[in-house]
Amino acid sequence: MQKDKAKRPAMSRLPGNKSSKFIPYLIPGVLGLAVIIIVPFLWNVCLSFTRWRGVGPMKFIGPKNWIRLMGDATFWKSFLNSFWIIVAIVVIPTILGLLISSVLTDVIQKKFGSKTASFIRALYYLPQLLPVAVAAIIMGWIFRPDDGAINALIAKFTSGSVAINWLGNPKLALPSLMFILIWIQLGYPIVIFMSGLQRVDPELYEAAGLDGANWWQKFRVVTLPSIMPELMVVILTATIGALKTFGPVYLLTKGGPGTTTIVPSYYSYNQFFQIHQVGYGAAISTSLTLVIIVFSVVFTIFQGHVEKNMDD
Amino acid sequence: MALILLIVGALIMLFPIIILTMNAFKTIGDYNATGPLSLPAHPTMSGIVGFWKMSDFPVKLGNSLLISLIVAVLGVVLSVLNSFALGIGKVKGNRWIILAIMLANMMPQEALLFPLYTMFKHIGLYNTQWAIVVIFTIIQSAYGTYLLSSVYGTFPEAILEAATLDGATRWETLIKVVLPISWSTISVLFVFFFVWTWNEYMIPMAFLMDDNVQTVPLALATLQGQHTMDATTLAAASLLSIIPTIIFFIIFQRKLNQGIVAGAVK
């Protein structure tokens, strides 16, 4: 049906109106997009071919920044860390979110009513609501080495004093950061999956139950296919968000110790504003943008395939 | 069994907030003597009052309210105009235009930072709330356009035909027919835009230099940067910073729920 639409000449859904007559309505939006997004982005691409300290003369140096980027271990490290950030923001919260939301819908809502279920959901959603700056600062305080709550909690159970430097120890910094990100992120998939699960016909579960399906089989045959659209939306938006991660890293670890928690976003910000290598920072942020665009296009194509397979 | 696991999970989620609230009402002596895990021995508001004064909290609150409110209104207006042309008008190449608009959401903000910084400096909007308003109106309306044009793409044909038969112009159709019917989606977008803009961090940090133009999240973050805050002040400041968001959430919780439903299913 989509294909038929594409072949027909552009027809508006308002009968008797040519689609071109609607162009004036697009002017403010497209103009704003051009001025605030497109031009600055192209500008940023141009900057990546210059050497510039942010003020003073700008020097065109061709692809030098890009060549340097390819051999920059910190740059590759930042993308390697992005992989772990994706694990913390996409993989773990999505899997936990699937389990928690299906238990909430399938068990809690049935036994204890929808008020209880949505109350528990709200508890999980709370960190999502906080400004990321505030959430990061709160967690940074809880993970403090000298007087933080985590160490105090451990000390209570081991009856000794503990001074683990969670975010300052090169071995522990990335796992600790990942734990904090999971805490921030978890509510998002839960809320979206639960709203998707409301669409599922309860009779499907009953029918599966009568056929003797256990919880896992019901989950695979009924739950998962039903919330496939939501699953796709969550994976796409969360992955883009993970690649763009900045606030928690900036506020908690500044990429350190060393480069153990550096991410592309923070690396380019650091080049821009801390060491005033605008050209190099522009190259890093341009490459991150390209990665996000390529991922989004590939994912959209993949999503099309999945949806087609499910229709068959 | 499942219930117990869920509640344990919820407690882990809630633990930081509980700890935060307990320590926001402690004195620093109290904190040093008993650690972060005990209830305040001598409850005090001094931490909260201290941050309120030190950060000029009412000014930050006013800035955040002003910026978020204007962005939410303008973002909705722009989303509606775009979506009317793309979803109902089916302007040629509408899928590609929507994809191009979505770029605003996909773009890492630091890829825009320097050019925008230079631009706003030239026109004299740097270090003002208006720079933030303009930028986030465009970024938020990208999501709004994505969502609302798919809603308008399935707008009931019969209603549109009836409007045409009554001799309504395009503008009249938008204002009198399309707008009233899509009011629930629009109010959801409004809530989203408000909360998202309120929570923004990187661009406001790079663009708002002076104390009197900064927002609530910046107040906390810059305070943390200036000097290592003692634990109780930090807890009090964090608590004060999240109260407005939580109040907003409680008021609009039902709308948010509807919105998440609308947002998830394209």
Side-chain angles (χ1 to χ4, degrees):
Chain A
M1 196 188 130
Q2 290 293 356
K3 271 184 191 153
D4 291 347
K5 247 184 210 165
K7 273 180 195 161
R8 261 188 285 156
M11 283 282 286
S12 90
R13 306 185 73 244
L14 208 57
N17 283 261
K18 276 199 200 120
S19 82
S20 58
K21 297 265 186 198
F22 287 84
I23 287 174
Y25 290 90
L26 268 183
I27 291 172
V30 169
L31 214 63
L33 184 76
V35 174
I36 300 297
I37 308 290
I38 308 282
V39 170
F41 175 63
L42 296 176
W43 189 336
N44 192 60
V45 175
C46 293
L47 283 178
S48 75
F49 294 98
T50 66
R51 177 174 293 141
W52 189 36
R53 298 195 62 79
V55 284
M58 191 188 294
K59 198 176 152 211
F60 179 79
I61 56 164
K64 267 190 191 155
N65 286 325
W66 288 90
I67 293 164
R68 189 181 140 203
L69 202 61
M70 292 302 112
D72 181 352
T74 308
F75 173 73
W76 295 109
K77 175 76 181 167
S78 73
F79 272 99
L80 181 68
N81 284 341
S82 277
F83 169 80
W84 290 107
I85 305 285
I86 289 172
V87 172
I89 290 187
V90 188
V91 180
I92 296 175
T94 305
I95 293 170
L96 283 179
L98 276 171
L99 293 174
I100 294 171
S101 58
S102 61
V103 170
L104 274 175
T105 318
D106 201 23
V107 182
I108 308 297
Q109 198 164 312
K110 269 181 206 150
K111 276 195 197 153
F112 302 93
S114 60
K115 278 245 166 84
T116 315
S118 52
F119 177 72
I120 297 178
R121 182 186 61 178
L123 293 186
Y124 280 98
Y125 190 65
L126 191 62
Q128 272 283 300
L129 202 66
L130 310 180
V132 75
V134 178
I137 288 172
I138 295 174
M139 287 307 259
W141 161 63
I142 285 174
F143 276 78
R144 271 193 199 190
D146 41 357
D147 59 354
I150 295 279
N151 282 344
L153 205 61
I154 295 175
K156 229 179 188 165
F157 286 111
T158 57
S159 63
S161 73
V162 188
I164 302 171
N165 193 354
W166 295 98
L167 291 162
N169 179 322
K171 284 215 177 74
L172 294 175
L174 188 59
S176 304
L177 181 68
M178 285 171 69
F179 180 83
I180 293 171
L181 292 173
I182 294 170
W183 177 75
I184 294 177
Q185 182 69 13
L186 187 58
Y188 173 69
I190 291 178
V191 166
I192 292 195
F193 293 156
M194 276 188 78
S195 76
L197 288 171
Q198 306 303 319
R199 279 201 322 260
V200 182
D201 186 354
E203 280 178 20
L204 280 177
Y205 283 108
E206 275 163 36
L210 288 177
D211 289 344
N214 60 29
W215 185 85
W216 170 246
Q217 285 165 328
K218 280 194 237 175
F219 177 77
R220 242 189 44 205
V221 179
V222 184
T223 309
L224 206 55
S226 315
I227 55 167
M228 203 43 98
E230 280 84 0
L231 190 64
M232 291 294 171
V233 170
V234 165
I235 294 175
L236 178 67
T237 52
T239 308
I240 293 176
L243 289 167
K244 284 163 64 171
T245 298
F246 173 79
V249 172
Y250 177 79
L251 287 158
L252 287 168
T253 65
K254 301 238 185 271
T259 57
T260 46
T261 59
I262 199 158
V263 290
S265 224
Y266 178 75
Y267 191 33
S268 77
Y269 185 89
N270 181 53
Q271 298 287 326
F272 279 139
F273 291 101
Q274 260 123 42
I275 61 173
H276 304 286
Q277 298 270 338
V278 174
Y280 199 55
I284 299 167
S285 58
T286 304
S287 64
L288 176 60
T289 310
L290 295 179
V291 168
I292 292 176
I293 292 175
V294 168
F295 168 79
S296 304
V297 170
V298 170
F299 187 86
T300 309
I301 294 169
F302 168 76
Q303 187 181 8
H305 278 292
V306 171
E307 276 167 11
K308 222 175 110 197
N309 284 342
M310 288 188 51
D311 286 344
D312 290 345
Chain B
M1 178 61 192
L3 181 68
I4 294 167
L5 277 179
L6 265 182
I7 290 175
V8 170
L11 285 179
I12 294 175
M13 297 302 284
L14 211 54
F15 173 74
I17 311 289
I18 296 169
I19 290 284
L20 180 77
T21 314
M22 270 164 35
N23 290 288
F25 297 98
K26 280 184 193 170
T27 60
I28 186 66
D30 200 353
Y31 184 90
N32 287 339
T34 60
L37 297 178
S38 56
L39 284 167
H42 319 282
T44 170
M45 291 285 285
S46 67
I48 290 174
V49 174
F51 177 67
W52 180 282
K53 284 187 188 145
M54 187 168 34
S55 68
D56 257 329
F57 195 73
V59 175
K60 312 278 150 109
L61 195 66
N63 286 333
S64 274
L65 272 175
L66 178 83
I67 292 171
S68 309
L69 211 58
I70 300 177
V71 167
V73 171
L74 292 181
V76 162
V77 170
L78 217 52
S79 306
V80 168
L81 291 177
N82 282 344
S83 310
F84 185 60
L86 295 165
I88 294 199
K90 297 268 178 211
V91 167
K92 220 173 158 187
N94 55 350
R95 283 167 162 261
W96 289 106
I97 299 173
I98 292 173
L99 197 69
I101 291 178
M102 269 309 280
L103 267 182
N105 249 15
M106 283 155 46
M107 197 76 68
Q109 289 182 0
E110 70 277 1
L112 308 172
L113 263 180
F114 230 89
L116 285 178
Y117 172 87
T118 315
M119 265 167 55
F120 281 110
K121 246 197 164 140
H122 266 285
I123 53 174
L125 283 182
Y126 176 74
N127 203 9
T128 70
Q129 297 99 326
W130 296 108
I132 307 299
V133 166
V134 172
I135 294 169
F136 286 110
T137 297
I138 301 298
I139 292 181
Q140 312 295 26
S141 70
Y143 179 88
T145 303
Y146 170 67
L147 180 65
L148 204 57
S149 46
S150 72
V151 171
Y152 284 177
T154 58
F155 201 86
E157 211 90 29
I159 298 174
L160 295 174
E161 257 167 54
T164 312
L165 286 178
D166 287 346
T169 63
R170 277 179 297 278
W171 179 250
E172 284 167 347
T173 310
L174 173 61
I175 298 296
K176 290 184 185 153
V177 181
V178 175
L179 210 53
I181 291 183
S182 50
W183 210 240
S184 72
T185 316
I186 287 172
S187 56
V188 160
L189 283 179
F190 180 86
V191 175
F192 272 11
F193 293 174
F194 187 93
V195 173
W196 289 344
T197 309
W198 184 285
N199 290 352
E200 274 298 338
Y201 179 62
M202 185 204 274
I203 285 186
M205 175 180 66
F207 276 59
L208 300 176
M209 287 297 141
D210 292 342
D211 261 352
N212 60 350
V213 290
Q214 285 182 343
T215 57
V216 172
L218 292 185
L220 184 63
T222 50
L223 206 69
Q224 192 207 24
Q226 279 163 9
H227 32 78
T228 329
M229 252 194 288
D230 68 70
T232 51
T233 311
L234 190 141
S238 306
L239 186 67
L240 195 58
S241 310
I242 64 181
I243 286 172
T245 328
I246 291 178
I247 293 176
F248 192 82
F249 179 67
I250 292 168
I251 296 174
F252 288 100
Q253 198 190 9
R254 197 178 276 172
K255 282 266 174 280
L256 271 171
N257 282 344
Q258 291 168 1
I260 288 155
V261 180
V265 189
K266 293 181 296 172

